[in-house]
Amino acid sequence: MNFFQEDRYQKALYLIFRPLVGGERNLFLRSDVCDRFEQFCQETLEDSWKDTELASWLSNIQEAIAIDPWLYLVVRAGPGDWQFCRFHIDVMKPEWIDINTFLRFKERVPEKTQKDSDWVLEVDLAPFYREFPKLTEPRSIGRGVEFLNRHLCNQLLSKKDGDELIFQFLHVHQYQGQPLMLNDRVISPRKLREALRQAEKYLSSQPLTATWSQVYHRLQEIGFEPGWGRTVERILDTLGLLSDILQAPEPGQVERFLARIPMIFKVAIISPHGYFGQSGVLGLPDTGGQVVYILDQVQALEKEMRQRLYEQGFDIFPKIVVVSRLIPDAGNTTCDECLEPIKGTDNAVILRIPFRDEQGRVIPHWISRFAVWPYLERFALEVEKELLAHFGGRPDLIIGNYSDGNLVATLVSQRLKVTQCAIAHALEKTKYLYSALFWKNLDAQYHFATQFTADLIAMNTADFVITSTHQEIAGNLHSVGQYESYSWFAMPGLYRVVNGINVYDPKFNIVSPGADETVYFPYTQTEQRLTALHGEIESLVFGGASPESRGEYRDRDKPIIFTMARLDRIKNITSLVEWYGQSPALQNWANLLVIAGHVDSERSTDEEERQQIGKMHEWLTHYQLDEKVRWLGKHLEKRLAGELYRYIADKGGIFVQPALFEAFGLTVIEAMSSGLPTFATCYGGPLEIIQDGISGFHIDPNHGEKVTSRLIEFFEHCQSHPEYWQQISNGALQRVQSRYNWRLYAERLMTLSRVYGFWKYATNLERAETQRYLEMFYGLMYRPLAAKVPH
């Protein structure tokens, strides 16, 4: 960046940033810097600046802090690639600084002081990971297991005890006290190699279709126990993989072999907040896509677990337990039932455990996800006890969901020494601008200090992390990923994080979920269609006013713009109604159908939802939309919702998801799976799910007028080119079917659990220091913060 030395660039920097320094505002986003640069080009009448090194550098500025006479900048050249510098407004030459110096300056803003803050705790986890392998290329982020397999191969080749490691790992596996893989006749790595040769020689003389029971006695004499395969063909292939690994391991062989080891019989999935049930819960406070995700996940996992165990020679039904919170005052839901079988599974259940107060009394009512923190430690102890009783021993894998579930998973997995998987679904930190910096202002309502502390602990203790998209981990060229936002941040007066999470850590893996293919399928599959529901759907769409609806279409022949989500600020449904109301042209093209929240604010117990309900009524009245917008304040059971997507498609409609940010976007997948052309936010998961202009369209929720223009252009193009709607519909179907389905998800998750289980076994002692540090952080920071949350 030698251009900083040139006078013309220094002059340009001064003119660009001078208006930012000295004003009342101190914090500026990337968009503010870009807007200021655009304004500078207009003021100087020189667009040629846009093709300079300066323009490229300015576009990488993630945020700026101005406190006269200083300007501090954060430059992000790519995921996890941070640089920090400062300028004195009178001498526009950069001085490169470290993260600590930057954060101390940033803390001045909420504290309204010209001095750096007094000493506060600094969290720096980087030294604990110094010896651990890390990815190096941004394109590899989220593909941690591929990198880990290569590293494991190098470790097995370079370490003298590589054979010993595999030998010991195979010896630890058992099921209900019965040894698997190896018995005591194989007492050393050398004996293992000899046993492999004997077994392969014996099996080569047997029919490939012969089963384990036919060759069991001889193999047991050699030293092998069940777990190698159901047939001789499968057993030989598994033994061959191990022989190759012991001789010259390759990444693909390591993954294939570990994927076959019968390690996962019992899985615990933790999801405490909200109302976790199979019907009548979606749309209730804190209850949405996460519930659908987990229930679909369970069905897919059970099938995959059962199939893998069968192929390895076991007729065992795996067990899956979803642990959630028991709510005695559960209304019309089943959330007051301790144990509930999960539909569509053979052996999976929902196990509900209550929150208790300090005296041990059951908390009967629902508690917001922002206020659950004081109850989780005691809840985790009860979860541990109940899981041990239900499974008859410890689980083989624990999966945490959201911040609270991941913390509970951490507490339980650390005590039971079980492989832990973390799934965030959505991290609140990126939803609320400067939520860490202004935590004191937000803490009374959201208790972010406690939540962000819990996130840091869970992220760093999890053995592996599953995300739905690359965006979730590392954002894109110009926006920060959800996990990346935990790399560094400051909570003034509490602590500052200088190294919290590293997006190049191989624990991150992208495993995208799908939609239930028996429910969300193309509108063209007429034989599967639930046409018997069309009468009910027509009543929902074209019916009159009721306590659960507002609006009745005057023109029923127009195509329908459909949207469906929780009614909260982030989902941005009220903005879509506002944009529609501001565009008579769009109103001429299509009607709008909104399914979200409640129509009557008195029926909602969530303050944010009540605010959004008020806005909905305000816009419908202000723009006189009652004959063009239909608002349903109810949740549809999923088969009805699936047919509704297809019904909208029949009428040439579209689906719009206008969220300010969407971690993944299950409704986007559902709509696309049905063949409905979909317009979705460019912030978060939909940016990856949708190929713009091919399988759907990206929209920017910060520019409503551009959204309406794009919708109008689509309808106009469909009128002049009738095949265009079908072209986008086909593109959506192809995209989802190739990338987003639960079968692929379950296969990948089960493989990951085995690879990371082996990695945990191989490196467990080396992680003890990290664990002790995090335990101290939990005790000295999290517990006091959680105790302060009103309960």
Side-chain angles (χ1 to χ4, degrees):
M1 284 176 267
N2 294 327
F3 67 86
F4 283 124
Q5 307 302 319
E6 298 183 28
D7 289 341
R8 71 186 189 104
Y9 283 114
Q10 291 181 26
K11 179 182 176 181
L13 284 169
Y14 174 79
L15 293 174
I16 291 168
F17 288 118
R18 182 177 177 277
L20 305 185
V21 179
E24 294 184 4
R25 186 177 173 190
N26 302 116
L27 298 170
F28 301 90
L29 300 172
R30 176 183 177 276
S31 57
D32 297 317
V33 175
C34 291
D35 290 345
R36 179 66 201 116
F37 178 63
E38 182 69 32
Q39 188 178 355
F40 162 76
C41 293
Q42 294 173 4
E43 291 168 350
T44 58
L45 302 177
E46 292 186 38
D47 273 355
S48 59
W49 280 108
K50 296 179 181 179
D51 297 321
T52 63
E53 290 181 272
L54 176 63
S56 177
W57 184 76
L58 289 171
S59 71
N60 288 333
I61 292 176
Q62 198 65 36
E63 65 176 286
I65 306 172
I67 301 178
D68 194 17
W70 287 99
L71 178 73
Y72 280 55
L73 302 175
V74 180
V75 181
R76 178 179 177 269
D81 186 357
W82 302 98
Q83 293 178 318
F84 306 89
C85 68
R86 65 184 177 188
F87 293 86
H88 191 286
I89 193 63
D90 294 331
V91 185
M92 292 304 292
K93 291 184 178 180
E95 178 185 350
W96 302 101
I97 58 176
D98 59 25
I99 175 61
N100 187 293
T101 303
F102 175 82
L103 287 176
R104 287 203 309 270
F105 185 80
K106 188 174 184 178
E107 288 166 5
R108 294 183 187 181
V109 177
E111 299 296 303
K112 301 185 185 303
T113 177
Q114 288 291 327
K115 297 181 179 180
D116 288 348
S117 57
D118 294 331
W119 185 92
V120 296
L121 173 67
E122 287 185 1
V123 178
D124 185 358
L125 288 157
F128 295 102
Y129 296 108
R130 190 175 293 131
E131 303 301 323
F132 272 65
K134 291 184 180 62
L135 308 169
T136 57
E137 297 298 326
R139 63 185 178 83
S140 298
I141 292 173
R143 295 159 52 191
V145 74
E146 298 174 24
F147 173 84
L148 199 59
N149 285 332
R150 292 193 296 273
H151 185 78
L152 285 171
C153 287
N154 292 333
Q155 187 178 31
L156 295 174
L157 279 171
S158 62
K159 285 194 173 184
K160 293 181 180 179
D161 58 354
D163 287 5
E164 179 71 25
L165 182 62
I166 293 178
F167 165 73
Q168 294 291 348
F169 185 67
L170 291 176
H171 254 297
V172 300
H173 296 295
Q174 59 176 327
Y175 178 75
Q176 296 183 345
Q178 175 68 36
L180 305 176
M181 309 303 288
L182 299 178
N183 59 39
D184 291 339
R185 289 184 175 86
V186 180
I187 59 174
S188 69
R190 184 179 63 81
K191 289 293 185 181
L192 175 59
R193 289 176 180 271
E194 292 176 2
L196 284 171
R197 287 192 290 269
Q198 291 180 50
E200 288 178 321
K201 181 178 180 180
Y202 164 68
L203 290 173
S204 63
S205 65
Q206 303 300 310
L208 292 177
T209 56
T211 63
W212 172 263
S213 60
Q214 294 173 279
V215 297
Y216 170 68
H217 292 293
R218 176 63 184 131
L219 288 180
Q220 189 180 45
E221 290 175 0
I222 297 172
F224 294 99
E225 294 293 331
W228 295 90
R230 177 166 290 273
T231 65
V232 166
E233 182 177 25
R234 179 79 172 185
I235 298 168
L236 276 170
D237 192 47
T238 307
L239 293 172
L241 283 172
L242 179 55
S243 295
D244 291 340
I245 291 170
L246 291 174
Q247 180 174 326
E250 295 180 358
Q253 293 171 337
V254 170
E255 180 172 309
R256 284 178 59 205
F257 178 70
L258 292 175
R260 295 189 181 188
I261 295 180
M263 298 165 55
I264 312 296
F265 299 89
K266 299 166 287 188
V267 175
I269 300 174
I270 315 292
S271 181
H273 76 257
Y275 292 81
F276 197 98
Q278 300 179 80
S279 61
V281 298
L282 296 183
L284 294 175
D286 293 343
T287 310
Q290 180 177 321
V291 174
V292 177
Y293 179 111
I294 293 173
L295 290 173
D296 287 348
Q297 175 197 52
V298 167
Q299 293 189 42
L301 284 181
E302 187 185 67
K303 290 178 183 177
E304 179 66 18
M305 291 168 67
R306 180 81 175 95
Q307 180 63 27
R308 290 200 184 200
L309 290 172
Y310 178 83
E311 290 175 350
Q312 291 309 113
F314 298 101
D315 294 308
I316 295 173
F317 284 94
K319 292 183 177 180
I320 301 177
V321 173
V322 177
V323 181
S324 191
R325 184 195 159 200
L326 181 77
I327 306 175
D329 296 344
N332 294 323
T333 75
T334 58
C335 295
D336 57 347
E337 296 181 10
C338 294
L339 202 65
E340 180 182 357
I342 295 178
K343 299 170 186 174
T345 70
D346 295 316
N347 213 20
V349 299
I350 302 170
L351 173 64
R352 298 188 180 93
I353 297 169
F355 286 169
R356 297 182 184 273
D357 63 18
E358 294 175 349
Q359 286 72 44
R361 295 171 298 200
V362 171
I363 305 296
H365 52 272
W366 166 84
I367 296 174
S368 164
R369 71 182 188 276
F370 297 116
V372 299
W373 308 107
Y375 307 99
L376 294 185
E377 186 173 300
R378 183 165 191 156
F379 179 78
L381 292 173
E382 289 201 46
V383 168
E384 178 187 340
K385 181 179 67 175
E386 293 294 335
L387 286 178
L388 290 172
H390 185 86
F391 285 137
R394 66 180 187 174
D396 304 305
L397 173 68
I398 296 179
I399 303 173
N401 293 272
Y402 194 69
S403 298
D404 52 356
N406 283 318
L407 183 70
V408 173
T410 291
L411 297 175
V412 177
S413 65
Q414 292 303 313
R415 286 173 58 89
L416 297 180
K417 309 300 180 187
V418 174
T419 302
Q420 176 193 353
C421 168
I423 306 176
H425 295 281
L427 291 164
E428 301 290 342
K429 188 169 177 293
T430 52
K431 290 184 180 180
Y432 299 83
L433 191 60
Y434 299 119
S435 55
L437 189 65
F438 293 100
W439 71 273
K440 291 180 181 178
N441 300 339
L442 299 167
D443 222 46
Q445 181 176 0
Y446 295 115
H447 309 294
F448 282 152
T450 315
Q451 183 164 6
F452 298 167
T453 304
D455 286 335
L456 266 181
I457 293 169
M459 288 175 189
N460 282 283
T461 54
D463 296 294
F464 66 105
V465 178
I466 282 181
T467 71
S468 299
T469 63
H470 183 280
Q471 306 281 322
E472 196 175 336
I473 308 169
N476 56 37
L477 185 60
H478 295 308
S479 64
V480 178
Q482 290 186 66
Y483 281 96
E484 189 183 9
S485 74
Y486 283 80
S487 301
W488 53 267
F489 61 93
M491 289 195 285
L494 189 63
Y495 62 83
R496 69 176 67 104
V497 176
V498 295
N499 282 290
I501 199 74
N502 189 333
V503 295
Y504 289 90
D505 193 313
K507 71 170 58 181
F508 289 104
N509 290 274
I510 301 167
V511 186
S512 300
D516 187 337
E517 295 175 351
T518 65
V519 175
Y520 305 102
F521 54 85
Y523 74 99
T524 53
Q525 294 183 5
T526 54
E527 292 184 1
Q528 293 178 251
R529 294 282 299 269
L530 305 176
T531 53
L533 297 177
H534 284 198
E536 183 177 352
I537 289 173
E538 288 179 1
S539 177
L540 288 171
V541 176
F542 298 113
S546 71
E548 294 182 321
S549 68
R550 177 174 173 177
E552 182 177 356
Y553 297 136
R554 179 180 60 193
D555 185 350
R556 297 188 175 194
D557 295 328
K558 292 179 182 178
I560 293 173
I561 300 169
F562 177 36
T563 190
M564 180 167 60
R566 293 193 315 274
L567 195 56
D568 59 29
R569 185 186 67 85
I570 292 296
K571 295 300 184 182
N572 207 33
I573 299 296
T574 54
S575 292
L576 176 61
V577 174
E578 182 184 14
W579 304 334
Y580 181 83
Q582 293 171 343
S583 176
L586 184 58
Q587 294 170 34
N588 288 334
W589 277 107
N591 292 322
L592 175 61
L593 174 63
V594 178
I595 300 181
H598 297 282
V599 174
D600 182 0
S601 62
E602 295 299 318
R603 297 188 60 188
S604 175
T605 58
D606 185 277
E607 181 57 33
E608 188 169 290
E609 183 182 61
R610 289 165 70 95
Q611 294 172 2
Q612 294 296 307
I613 291 170
K615 277 191 176 183
M616 283 286 291
H617 285 293
E618 178 184 347
W619 297 138
L620 291 173
T621 300
H622 178 76
Y623 293 109
Q624 300 179 355
L625 297 175
D626 282 309
E627 293 183 341
K628 299 176 181 179
V629 175
R630 174 77 166 166
W631 174 22
L632 297 175
K634 63 184 302 181
H635 177 76
L636 309 183
E637 61 91 14
K638 65 180 187 179
R639 292 194 179 276
L640 181 60
E643 190 59 32
L644 177 58
Y645 283 120
R646 292 184 287 272
Y647 184 87
I648 302 296
D650 290 337
K651 295 183 172 298
I654 62 174
F655 183 79
V656 178
Q657 200 259 40
L660 297 173
F661 179 84
E662 183 62 64
F664 180 61
L666 276 177
T667 56
V668 172
I669 295 294
E670 292 169 0
M672 293 172 68
S673 297
S674 306
L676 195 56
T678 300
F679 294 70
T681 180
C682 62
Y683 297 109
L687 188 63
E688 289 181 38
I689 296 172
I690 292 174
Q691 301 158 295
D692 189 53
I694 300 173
S695 55
F697 303 92
H698 300 147
I699 56 175
D700 187 341
N702 297 311
H703 297 281
E705 71 286 352
K706 293 182 180 179
V707 175
T708 53
S709 294
R710 190 148 209 206
L711 298 180
I712 291 168
E713 288 173 5
F714 175 79
F715 286 116
E716 287 177 345
H717 199 69
C718 288
Q719 185 180 61
S720 58
H721 300 81
E723 75 283 357
Y724 187 62
W725 188 98
Q726 190 64 58
Q727 177 184 326
I728 299 299
S729 173
N730 291 339
L733 291 171
Q734 292 169 10
R735 180 69 171 171
V736 169
Q737 290 166 1
S738 65
R739 294 283 296 274
Y740 301 97
N741 66 74
W742 283 110
R743 178 184 55 78
L744 294 174
Y745 175 99
E747 287 178 359
R748 203 68 193 138
L749 178 53
M750 283 295 97
T751 296
L752 290 173
S753 65
R754 287 160 169 82
V755 174
Y756 284 93
F758 179 61
W759 176 250
K760 181 183 181 75
Y761 179 84
T763 62
N764 198 40
L765 292 177
E766 299 174 34
R767 302 179 62 180
E769 294 173 346
T770 314
Q771 187 55 41
R772 295 302 292 171
Y773 183 88
L774 293 169
E775 286 174 358
M776 181 176 66
F777 189 52
Y778 175 87
L780 297 180
M781 187 59 65
Y782 172 81
R783 296 186 86 235
L785 286 171
K788 292 178 182 178
V789 176
H791 58 289

